[in-house]
Amino acid sequence: MSFETGRTIMASWQPEMAEDTAISSYWLNWRVLVCTTWLLISMVFASFLISRHEGSRRRSSDDDDDRPGRESEEKGPGVLYEDEAWRPCLKGMHPVWLLGFRVGSFFVLLVLLIVNAFVDGGSIFYYYTQWTFTLVTIYFGLGSMLSIYGCYAHRNKVVGERADIELVDSRQHNLANGRGSNAAKDGLKLNQLHPDRRIAGFWGYAFQIIFQINAGAVLLTDCVFWFIIVPFLATTTRNYGLNFFMVNMHSVNIVFLLGDTALNSLRFPWFRIAYFFLWTTFYVIFQWILHACISIWWPYPFLDLSASLAPLWYATVGMMHFPCYGVFILVTHIKQYLLSRYFPESYEQMR
């Protein structure tokens, strides 16, 4: 592995341009039409999933004591409670542990990103890898802020629980003294001290959506890099070697993300693969607009629309979204299985 930086890195990633991308003939052909169809299908598919499953559902309710025709709100599959953004997965674990991990991860990722940009310049953000790496950094930054709030909320909850214990002791003392007539009222008031958990606000949902985008995008970038790009460059580029930033950009992010997944209590609803598709689609559209305006090399060989196999490459990378996202769903299920088996009381009480 090479630790060289600067022009050596960029030379390995800038193939010679096959055609001028800023002319109309480059875009007016069947390959672009087919690839455009793939993008439109992805966006329609994503929009359908979001409109179908995101948010709360409203239904007409005639049950129980509700008025006929009255609408009630039903929690959808993507519901997120406020404390799930900062609460560890085990009841006995203090939120400060998750806070410490997120803060440490944020600073490591931020330093790597800044140093990489300083060494190689702002052109690194030309790549999907850096887009995703930046999003992972934002995730840990936002997560750190939510965890700070969570530690404060946890402290207030502990203080409140201590006050409740004292209140219960006092009421039991009153009951022992024969004042049982007020016991029911006292119990009712005590239950009112513990309202239902609050649904998360904008930042909580944004945090969860970013988490699920990262889950798929990190696996996609790392798989494409290690299984497609590295073998391709190794066979087509002379004196090609990996360097420090290349390896770290395609390994550190997944390590930190898996660590946070092991500690957090975020849900992982399957339908949010839609945001993962939209994230990749937005990047491709950005590249297309840029190349239509400026004749410049493609950051990834399979994005070049002049290649006869371009539609196949686009379809292949698009289909890779499903296994990449599916692997992370499997990871969350394995986590749930292990926690429910080895920490049944702590984990069951938190679900």
Side-chain angles (χ1 to χ4, degrees):
M1 181 180 67
S2 171
F3 286 85
E4 296 178 0
T5 56
R7 294 184 179 181
T8 302
I9 294 177
M10 303 311 295
S12 298
W13 287 95
Q14 294 185 15
E16 294 183 2
M17 291 176 52
E19 293 186 22
D20 187 352
T21 63
I23 58 177
S24 58
S25 60
Y26 184 88
W27 300 97
L28 300 177
N29 57 73
W30 68 272
R31 297 182 300 275
V32 176
L33 178 61
V34 174
C35 292
T36 301
T37 302
W38 299 153
L39 292 182
L40 289 175
I41 291 174
S42 298
M43 289 189 290
V44 170
F45 172 68
S47 300
F48 170 77
L49 288 181
I50 293 172
S51 62
R52 185 80 171 82
H53 299 286
E54 190 65 88
S56 301
R57 303 170 183 172
R58 293 195 174 274
R59 58 182 176 84
S60 179
S61 176
D62 298 325
D63 302 334
D64 302 330
D65 57 346
D66 290 342
R67 295 190 304 272
R70 181 182 177 184
E71 285 190 343
S72 62
E73 195 173 77
E74 180 184 350
K75 295 181 177 64
V79 66
L80 177 72
Y81 292 101
E82 186 181 69
D83 61 338
E84 290 177 345
W86 50 263
R87 190 189 67 200
C89 56
L90 296 178
K91 184 178 181 182
M93 183 181 295
H94 196 283
V96 74
W97 290 103
L98 185 56
L99 170 62
F101 180 83
R102 286 175 172 174
V103 171
S105 301
F106 171 69
F107 279 107
V108 171
L109 294 172
L110 184 62
V111 168
L112 279 174
L113 192 63
I114 293 174
V115 172
N116 193 11
F118 177 78
V119 172
D120 295 328
S123 61
I124 64 169
F125 296 103
Y126 191 47
Y127 299 96
Y128 186 82
T129 296
Q130 271 68 28
W131 279 42
T132 300
F133 198 92
T134 302
L135 191 65
V136 175
T137 306
I138 293 172
Y139 167 79
F140 280 105
L142 179 57
S144 298
M145 298 301 296
L146 291 174
S147 288
I148 291 173
Y149 166 78
C151 288
Y152 175 76
H154 178 77
R155 177 182 176 276
N156 290 342
K157 180 181 178 181
V158 170
V159 172
E161 288 177 348
R162 290 175 180 172
D164 291 345
I165 292 174
E166 294 177 358
L167 185 59
V168 170
D169 291 340
S170 175
R171 287 168 178 171
Q172 289 178 343
H173 177 72
N174 291 338
L175 183 62
N177 290 335
R179 286 183 280 180
S181 59
N182 294 326
K185 295 181 180 179
D186 290 343
L188 178 60
K189 292 178 180 178
L190 181 59
N191 290 332
Q192 292 174 347
L193 295 174
H194 302 281
D196 293 336
R197 296 162 66 192
R198 292 192 298 177
I199 300 296
F202 170 80
W203 291 112
Y205 275 101
F207 180 65
Q208 186 188 37
I209 290 171
I210 293 174
F211 170 64
Q212 296 194 246
I213 293 174
N214 285 331
V218 165
L219 282 175
L220 179 64
T221 55
D222 290 358
C223 288
V224 168
F225 178 79
W226 291 110
F227 298 116
I228 298 179
I229 294 177
V230 169
F232 174 82
L233 292 177
T235 56
T236 60
T237 306
R238 299 181 61 183
N239 300 322
Y240 173 75
L242 297 176
N243 57 68
F244 175 78
F245 289 114
M246 279 182 170
V247 172
N248 278 279
M249 286 287 169
H250 298 89
S251 58
V252 173
N253 49 8
I254 187 65
V255 172
F256 284 146
L257 198 61
L258 286 174
D260 191 83
T261 303
L263 292 173
N264 70 35
S265 59
L266 288 174
R267 302 163 190 243
F268 204 88
W270 64 271
F271 74 88
R272 289 212 174 106
I273 191 177
Y275 295 100
F276 177 26
F277 270 103
L278 292 177
W279 172 256
T280 304
T281 301
F282 181 74
Y283 173 80
V284 173
I285 292 174
F286 165 78
Q287 289 292 337
W288 282 15
I289 294 174
L290 181 64
H291 282 78
C293 299
I294 305 172
S295 183
I296 190 174
W297 49 274
W298 290 94
Y300 302 105
F302 50 81
L303 288 179
D304 189 355
L305 293 166
S306 65
S308 59
L309 294 178
L312 179 60
W313 275 115
Y314 274 72
T316 301
V317 174
M319 293 303 294
M320 286 179 65
H321 283 61
F322 291 103
C324 289
Y325 197 80
V327 166
F328 225 91
I329 292 178
L330 179 62
V331 168
T332 59
H333 281 277
I334 293 174
K335 168 193 168 181
Q336 292 171 4
Y337 170 76
L338 294 176
L339 291 178
S340 61
R341 179 171 181 176
Y342 294 103
F343 305 94
E345 293 184 3
S346 181
Y347 181 64
E348 287 294 337
Q349 292 177 13
M350 297 302 291
R351 284 196 301 177

